Amino acid sequence: MTSAPEPSSIPDSQATNGLSELKRLLNQVSDLDAAAGLMSWDQETQMPPDAARVRGLQMATLAGLSHELFTAPQVGALLQAAEAGADETISETDAALLRVTRRDHAKATRLPTEFVEEQSQAASEAHHAWIAARENNDFASFAPHLEKMIDLARRYADHQGFEDHPYDALIDDYEPGMKAAQVRGIFADLRDRTLPLLRRIVAAGDAADYSVLSRYFPAQAQREFGLKIAQEAFGLLPDFSRLDESAHPFQTNFSRDDIRVTTRFDETYFPMSLFGTWHETGHAMYEHGVAARLERTPLSRGASLGVHESQSRMFENLLGRSRPFWQRHFGAFAQAAPEVARGQDAESLYRAVNRVRPDLIRVEADEVTYNFHIMLRFELELALLEGSLSVAELPEAWNARMQEFLGVTPPDDAQGVLQDIHWSSGLIGYFPTYTLGNLLSVQLLGAAKRDPAIAAEVDRAEYGKLREWLVQNVHQYGRSRTPTEITVAATGGLLSADAYVKYLEDKYGDIYGLS
Amino acid sequence: MTSAPEPSSIPDSQATNGLSELKRLLNQVSDLDAAAGLMSWDQETQMPPDAARVRGLQMATLAGLSHELFTAPQVGALLQAAEAGADETISETDAALLRVTRRDHAKATRLPTEFVEEQSQAASEAHHAWIAARENNDFASFAPHLEKMIDLARRYADHQGFEDHPYDALIDDYEPGMKAAQVRGIFADLRDRTLPLLRRIVAAGDAADYSVLSRYFPAQAQREFGLKIAQEAFGLLPDFSRLDESAHPFQTNFSRDDIRVTTRFDETYFPMSLFGTWHETGHAMYEHGVAARLERTPLSRGASLGVHESQSRMFENLLGRSRPFWQRHFGAFAQAAPEVARGQDAESLYRAVNRVRPDLIRVEADEVTYNFHIMLRFELELALLEGSLSVAELPEAWNARMQEFLGVTPPDDAQGVLQDIHWSSGLIGYFPTYTLGNLLSVQLLGAAKRDPAIAAEVDRAEYGKLREWLVQNVHQYGRSRTPTEITVAATGGLLSADAYVKYLEDKYGDIYGLS
């Protein structure tokens, strides 16, 4: 409100080519999106139960205005002028801003309005149909909606254009620059090298008394311990964040200084809230680490879903499920949950929270089996898009692969093909980013630990220097660098399954005595 | 998201004159304002402490976009076309929509952009200066800012235009159609008839043991009891509302189905939270009672601040501070606060919460002295605007009137002329609406009680029929009727001090034994 220059805006390196005006418009779009984000967070965590109808209309208006503002001819003209005026004096950040804005603008303007409306309406109907189908274990009632979503995905890819595979146009929304062929290669390697490991783990039998995981741990005490660790060990800053409860855990934020994390509680299965909180804390640390100068621009978010997931998985699994972590924090855990900790020690708890068990549900899967859930979905998505698999054949194909990968068969579709929300919302091409994130998390931590000071700290469950390294090498760039640029610069190589496979072999070889 | 017609929109009685398109734009403005409202509520109740800077920028963007959308040439053109096309077939609601939209549009477009920016910046600076001045008891440091706000108020009135007095253009923003001359007349009558009453009350001495008001009552228990009464006695619906804590209590809402009430707690002065909660509940009931068909239009709010205050004061004072209320709820109170209730009964508590005491601070004033705080401010605002009083002379004038009306003199300006936020925010012409609301509350309750069934219920502290009457006669209209239309239709006469004076004489004559 004062006349002081706004400290968070990107300094304008090209005063003459309308970049300032473009940034002003992009700030407005970002602010509208922040408001929509707040409405969504509020809906999940605070809103009175019967307020949903009007809230839905309000959120639709905000989304529409944001789209209208961003695709207005003025933005295109300013962008074009700024691109034309850009020369070697342009700052790296401004150049990235033009590149990312051009990318987003092209994607937004390539879609005819009628297509966007058709897609939005179909997704809304499919989502409702999915909820009912899962409740009634009735895949047939969802099938026509899924067919429609597949059809829309194909047409979406056609609108956006692609070289090799329509899937490339889909995954690019979540993982810029990633191609189906690359994913296929990485996943094949991962599958071939971890399936034997999984079989050996299963054959080895139990490595701990897992009943400790279902001992009673009151929700409020879970909340306090989870948040204490998130803040004191992982660095979630109370002045910039808050933790709430929601049906499905998520992280959202309305600026790097206003981060909302949610979790959910099961009083007889504490890992759900603890690792859920620390997972979302990883996302939160990423968003808070984005450079302040990118605030309120298209650059002020994580580089991709995969890079985002690398941060959440690092905090949840590589740190939160590590032996040094439990050695350091077992005392605090025992104080927070004396009944759970009775007769336990750091090692037994470490082993318990690292139980490997092939099972039906993705979101509850461990580090070893999780990626098979993803590879299964990726293969099915490709087959559906290519037309080599029909929607009618999908449940059978799902169950066959579950048997092949994990040796289990869902007793019904609700616990099988209907378990995830994604396809009902039109999110096709999204699943692989979970596994890409898993792989990247290990690759990044390995790179960071090449610094002996970081390695020494992490080995005693201290993360201050690691956080600095992550801000320096990943967080600060936001979307101003691509996932590949970040990966190569930070780790010295492209993303691969190597580090992850070695991590699994070492960790679970040790736990399950496979040497 | 579905194609079903939106149920809350005003049915279009004039398909041919662009009214539908106008309504669509007004819906968008309303949705933007709802988002800004949520951002503001969130800031006061939920937001992490260090997120204020970016939130301020985001809220400014939303306010700017809303203003831009509403003042766009398209809205003016659609409005003009709709007005030209309106004939005798237009519905009453559509006619009101055009009338109120024209009024708002004219006010919004009469102000030059530079003036709005100057005002906004000056208010921001004045607000910060006021906070410091109040903290340091340093009126002189605030004086130049107040001079600026007075100057801006004069110029605002000039932009808007007025017939008799610039104050008319100011108060009209808060109390449409009200004039300074009318307020002057009503206030003079009120003053002349209640000042003698106040003197007699003061002379009569204590009517109860007031130390009960400062007995310890834990915040959580206050919250539960206050909310229980708000819901069970006053009708606040849990599915449409929530109660939070904030530094200053307020009610806001983002639709009639999404109402947020706040309160604050003092564990050794329970009336603050209880009557605060019930006050805001009155505002909430009003907003929830506005007809659903007015949703997302400029009509979907209370008719004026005065009418709004009539509802909050009715629940807080006329009902919540009534003898039947305490007779009915003393048991529940004693259960919630056994330590406070020890040795008390309904009558002693009724008398305690109706203590009359001339004192310094408006927001803590009782029913008898409250209006003197308002009359004082009204007189000073007039004098400042007219130039017959300078800002430098203001503290002395304040203190002189405090002595004249209430027989007390502030020991410092922080507890005197600097106590309220309003002037620092440019809210000049706002204060009278508090007293107009007080007067109207009694006039409305009297009118409702002409129905013997309502009177019988209210006399045993049941409010179901009264609420129906309020929805029928006040709430449902939103802004589609003016405050005067509502007052005359509901009570049979114009607003006056008569009913209020009689109410005070009866109630406090009884409590203080003045017969």
Side-chain angles (χ1 to χ4, degrees):
Chain A
M1 304 286 189
T2 71
S3 59
E6 178 197 321
S8 71
S9 65
I10 299 180
D12 195 345
S13 62
Q14 301 274 326
T16 53
N17 60 10
L19 199 49
S20 294
E21 178 58 11
L22 178 63
K23 287 174 187 171
R24 198 184 64 81
L25 290 173
L26 295 175
N27 286 166
Q28 289 188 337
V29 173
S30 164
D31 292 345
L32 273 177
D33 294 346
L38 177 62
M39 284 202 151
S40 173
W41 171 84
D42 180 81
Q43 184 168 33
E44 301 301 324
T45 62
Q46 312 289 339
M47 193 180 76
D50 279 4
R53 187 186 57 79
V54 176
R55 176 61 58 90
L57 299 171
Q58 292 165 339
M59 288 171 67
T61 291
L62 259 66
L65 286 175
S66 167
H67 180 78
E68 220 173 273
L69 213 59
F70 184 61
T71 58
Q74 199 193 354
V75 172
L78 286 166
L79 185 54
Q80 204 166 9
E83 287 167 338
D87 57 23
E88 67 285 346
T89 70
I90 194 170
S91 71
E92 200 186 329
T93 303
D94 277 352
L97 180 69
L98 292 183
R99 195 171 60 242
V100 170
T101 303
R102 168 57 68 193
R103 176 190 142 87
D104 292 351
H105 194 258
K107 288 206 183 211
T109 51
R110 274 187 207 121
L111 300 175
T113 309
E114 313 81 64
F115 179 82
V116 174
E117 286 169 0
E118 184 185 348
Q119 196 180 36
S120 157
Q121 185 168 329
S124 170
E125 289 168 11
H127 181 65
H128 286 102
W130 169 73
I131 290 172
R134 192 171 69 154
E135 212 168 283
N136 306 318
N137 188 35
D138 176 16
F139 180 79
S141 69
F142 178 57
H145 294 281
L146 184 52
E147 273 161 17
K148 177 77 184 175
M149 299 319 292
I150 303 289
D151 171 59
L152 282 162
R154 283 200 201 102
R155 286 158 58 203
Y156 180 89
D158 287 338
H159 283 300
Q160 297 295 356
F162 56 89
E163 281 179 24
D164 294 329
H165 197 288
Y167 201 85
D168 295 348
L170 303 177
I171 193 172
D172 187 74
D173 282 2
Y174 314 113
E175 202 61 32
M178 184 57 68
K179 308 288 181 198
Q182 256 178 289
V183 176
R184 225 192 276 261
I186 293 172
F187 280 15
D189 186 32
L190 179 66
R191 188 184 54 225
D192 293 347
R193 294 164 72 185
T194 55
L195 203 46
L197 174 67
L198 175 60
R199 300 246 153 94
R200 292 171 66 207
I201 291 172
V202 170
D206 288 356
D209 172 11
Y210 301 115
S211 71
V212 64
L213 302 177
S214 47
R215 288 190 192 163
Y216 181 73
F217 190 166
Q220 183 57 27
Q222 287 189 39
R223 184 187 196 283
E224 279 165 24
F225 178 70
L227 187 57
K228 177 188 156 74
I229 293 292
Q231 292 177 345
E232 294 173 12
F234 295 144
L236 186 71
L237 295 165
D239 286 351
F240 298 115
S241 63
R242 51 178 288 143
L243 173 67
D244 293 88
E245 191 174 351
S246 64
H248 300 277
F250 63 93
Q251 180 273 145
T252 186
N253 64 91
F254 321 122
S255 75
R256 66 191 291 280
D257 299 341
D258 188 356
I259 290 172
R260 313 287 170 108
V261 172
T262 77
T263 193
R264 57 180 170 180
F265 300 97
D266 180 341
E267 295 193 319
T268 56
Y269 190 68
F270 69 82
M272 176 180 283
S273 86
L274 293 192
F275 294 103
T277 299
W278 302 337
H279 178 100
E280 304 308 334
T281 295
H283 287 304
M285 296 309 295
Y286 191 177
E287 294 286 325
H288 184 65
V290 174
R293 70 178 185 283
L294 308 184
E295 191 74 74
R296 299 171 73 222
T297 80
L299 302 181
S300 68
R301 298 270 146 185
S304 73
L305 292 187
V307 181
H308 238 300
E309 196 73 0
S310 78
Q311 301 306 293
S312 56
R313 287 303 202 177
M314 187 182 297
F315 283 76
E316 173 194 1
N317 286 339
L318 311 192
L319 309 180
R321 281 190 165 95
S322 72
R323 184 177 275 131
F325 177 91
W326 285 99
Q327 286 170 342
R328 186 178 187 105
H329 295 296
F330 179 78
F333 178 86
Q335 224 171 352
E339 299 301 314
V340 183
R342 177 170 304 154
Q344 298 288 317
D345 58 20
E347 182 63 21
S348 67
L349 212 55
Y350 164 65
R351 286 166 175 252
V353 300
N354 283 296
R355 175 185 208 177
V356 175
R357 183 176 59 170
D359 212 339
L360 303 171
I361 305 298
R362 174 183 61 85
V363 298
E364 290 167 14
D366 55 79
E367 287 182 293
V368 182
T369 59
Y370 187 92
N371 300 307
F372 291 100
H373 291 273
I374 298 302
M375 293 187 271
L376 171 159
R377 285 158 178 75
F378 172 65
E379 290 179 16
L380 297 177
E381 285 183 342
L382 287 179
L384 286 167
L385 268 186
E386 290 165 0
S388 59
L389 179 74
S390 73
V391 166
E393 298 163 333
L394 182 61
E396 203 182 321
W398 179 287
N399 294 350
R401 271 182 185 70
M402 281 299 286
Q403 191 57 47
E404 179 193 342
F405 290 158
L406 298 177
V408 294
T409 297
D412 55 38
D413 290 334
Q415 296 174 76
V417 67
L418 287 172
Q419 71 183 261
D420 291 311
I421 191 178
H422 300 62
W423 291 341
S424 82
S425 305
L427 298 175
I428 296 169
Y430 186 114
F431 280 121
T433 65
Y434 291 121
T435 284
L436 298 175
N438 286 337
L439 305 188
L440 183 58
S441 70
V442 177
Q443 199 166 324
L444 283 170
L445 185 59
K449 288 177 77 174
R450 280 179 222 145
D451 177 339
I454 295 179
E457 269 203 4
V458 169
D459 287 346
R460 54 176 194 269
E462 283 174 21
Y463 309 123
K465 287 185 199 302
L466 173 63
R467 279 203 309 274
E468 279 169 36
W469 187 92
L470 290 171
V471 169
Q472 199 59 36
N473 289 276
V474 181
H475 300 176
Q476 64 158 326
Y477 298 115
R479 294 176 72 205
S480 71
R481 294 195 175 178
T482 67
T484 299
E485 285 169 350
I486 290 170
T487 303
V488 170
T491 73
L494 289 167
L495 183 67
S496 87
D498 291 346
Y500 196 76
V501 170
K502 184 167 185 328
Y503 163 75
L504 290 188
E505 285 172 348
D506 289 351
K507 176 172 179 178
Y508 292 94
D510 168 64
I511 291 178
Y512 283 91
L514 305 180
S515 64
Chain B
M1 304 282 191
T2 72
S3 59
E6 179 196 317
S8 71
S9 65
I10 298 179
D12 195 345
S13 62
Q14 303 273 325
T16 53
N17 60 11
L19 198 49
S20 295
E21 179 59 12
L22 178 63
K23 287 175 187 172
R24 198 184 64 80
L25 291 172
L26 295 175
N27 286 166
Q28 289 188 337
V29 173
S30 164
D31 292 344
L32 274 176
D33 294 345
L38 177 62
M39 285 201 149
S40 173
W41 171 84
D42 181 82
Q43 183 167 34
E44 300 302 323
T45 63
Q46 313 289 339
M47 194 181 76
D50 279 4
R53 186 186 57 78
V54 176
R55 176 61 56 91
L57 299 171
Q58 292 165 338
M59 288 170 65
T61 290
L62 259 64
L65 285 175
S66 167
H67 180 78
E68 220 173 272
L69 214 58
F70 184 61
T71 58
Q74 200 192 352
V75 172
L78 285 167
L79 184 55
Q80 202 165 10
E83 286 167 338
D87 56 23
E88 68 286 345
T89 70
I90 194 170
S91 71
E92 200 187 328
T93 304
D94 277 352
L97 180 69
L98 293 182
R99 195 172 59 241
V100 171
T101 303
R102 168 57 68 195
R103 174 188 144 88
D104 292 352
H105 194 260
K107 288 206 182 210
T109 52
R110 273 185 209 123
L111 301 174
T113 307
E114 314 80 64
F115 178 83
V116 174
E117 286 168 1
E118 183 185 351
Q119 195 180 36
S120 159
Q121 185 168 330
S124 172
E125 290 168 10
H127 180 66
H128 285 102
W130 168 73
I131 290 172
R134 192 171 68 153
E135 212 169 281
N136 305 320
N137 188 33
D138 175 17
F139 180 79
S141 70
F142 177 58
H145 295 279
L146 184 53
E147 272 161 16
K148 177 79 183 172
M149 298 320 292
I150 302 289
D151 171 58
L152 282 161
R154 282 198 202 104
R155 287 159 57 202
Y156 180 89
D158 287 338
H159 282 302
Q160 297 295 357
F162 56 89
E163 281 179 24
D164 294 329
H165 197 288
Y167 201 85
D168 295 347
L170 303 177
I171 192 172
D172 187 74
D173 282 1
Y174 314 112
E175 201 62 32
M178 184 57 69
K179 308 288 179 196
Q182 257 178 290
V183 177
R184 224 192 276 260
I186 293 171
F187 280 14
D189 186 32
L190 180 67
R191 188 185 54 227
D192 292 348
R193 293 164 72 187
T194 56
L195 204 47
L197 173 67
L198 175 60
R199 303 244 152 94
R200 290 172 67 207
I201 291 171
V202 171
D206 288 354
D209 172 11
Y210 300 114
S211 70
V212 64
L213 301 177
S214 48
R215 290 191 190 163
Y216 180 72
F217 189 165
Q220 183 58 25
Q222 287 189 38
R223 184 187 195 283
E224 279 165 24
F225 178 71
L227 188 56
K228 178 187 155 75
I229 293 291
Q231 293 178 344
E232 294 173 13
F234 296 144
L236 187 71
L237 295 165
D239 285 353
F240 298 115
S241 64
R242 51 178 288 143
L243 173 67
D244 292 271
E245 192 174 349
S246 65
H248 299 278
F250 63 93
Q251 181 274 147
T252 185
N253 64 92
F254 320 122
S255 75
R256 66 191 290 280
D257 299 341
D258 189 355
I259 289 171
R260 314 287 171 107
V261 171
T262 77
T263 193
R264 57 179 170 181
F265 300 98
D266 180 340
E267 294 192 320
T268 55
Y269 189 68
F270 69 82
M272 176 180 283
S273 88
L274 293 192
F275 294 103
T277 299
W278 302 337
H279 179 100
E280 303 307 335
T281 295
H283 287 305
M285 297 308 296
Y286 190 177
E287 293 287 326
H288 184 65
V290 174
R293 70 177 184 283
L294 308 183
E295 191 76 71
R296 300 171 73 221
T297 78
L299 302 181
S300 69
R301 297 270 145 184
S304 73
L305 292 187
V307 181
H308 238 301
E309 196 74 0
S310 78
Q311 302 305 293
S312 56
R313 287 304 202 177
M314 188 182 296
F315 284 75
E316 174 194 1
N317 286 339
L318 312 193
L319 308 180
R321 281 190 165 95
S322 71
R323 184 177 276 132
F325 177 92
W326 285 99
Q327 285 170 342
R328 187 180 187 103
H329 296 296
F330 179 77
F333 178 86
Q335 224 170 352
E339 299 303 314
V340 182
R342 178 170 302 154
Q344 298 288 317
D345 59 19
E347 182 64 22
S348 67
L349 213 54
Y350 164 65
R351 285 167 175 252
V353 300
N354 282 296
R355 176 185 206 175
V356 175
R357 184 176 59 171
D359 211 340
L360 302 171
I361 305 299
R362 174 183 62 85
V363 297
E364 291 166 13
D366 56 78
E367 288 182 292
V368 181
T369 58
Y370 187 90
N371 299 306
F372 291 100
H373 291 272
I374 297 303
M375 293 188 271
L376 170 160
R377 285 157 177 77
F378 172 66
E379 290 179 16
L380 297 176
E381 285 184 341
L382 286 180
L384 287 166
L385 269 186
E386 290 165 1
S388 60
L389 179 73
S390 74
V391 165
E393 297 162 334
L394 182 62
E396 201 181 321
W398 179 287
N399 294 349
R401 271 183 185 69
M402 281 298 286
Q403 191 58 49
E404 178 193 343
F405 290 158
L406 298 176
V408 294
T409 296
D412 53 39
D413 289 334
Q415 297 174 76
V417 67
L418 287 172
Q419 70 183 263
D420 291 310
I421 191 180
H422 300 62
W423 291 341
S424 81
S425 304
L427 299 175
I428 295 167
Y430 186 114
F431 280 120
T433 67
Y434 291 121
T435 284
L436 298 176
N438 286 338
L439 305 188
L440 183 57
S441 70
V442 176
Q443 199 166 324
L444 283 170
L445 184 59
K449 287 178 76 173
R450 279 179 222 144
D451 177 339
I454 296 178
E457 269 202 6
V458 169
D459 287 347
R460 55 176 192 269
E462 284 174 22
Y463 309 123
K465 287 186 200 300
L466 172 63
R467 280 202 309 275
E468 278 170 37
W469 188 92
L470 290 171
V471 169
Q472 199 58 36
N473 288 278
V474 181
H475 300 177
Q476 64 159 326
Y477 299 114
R479 293 176 74 206
S480 70
R481 296 194 175 179
T482 67
T484 299
E485 286 169 348
I486 290 170
T487 303
V488 170
T491 74
L494 290 167
L495 183 68
S496 86
D498 291 346
Y500 196 77
V501 170
K502 182 166 186 327
Y503 163 74
L504 289 188
E505 286 173 347
D506 289 350
K507 177 173 178 176
Y508 292 93
D510 168 64
I511 291 178
Y512 284 89
L514 305 181
S515 64

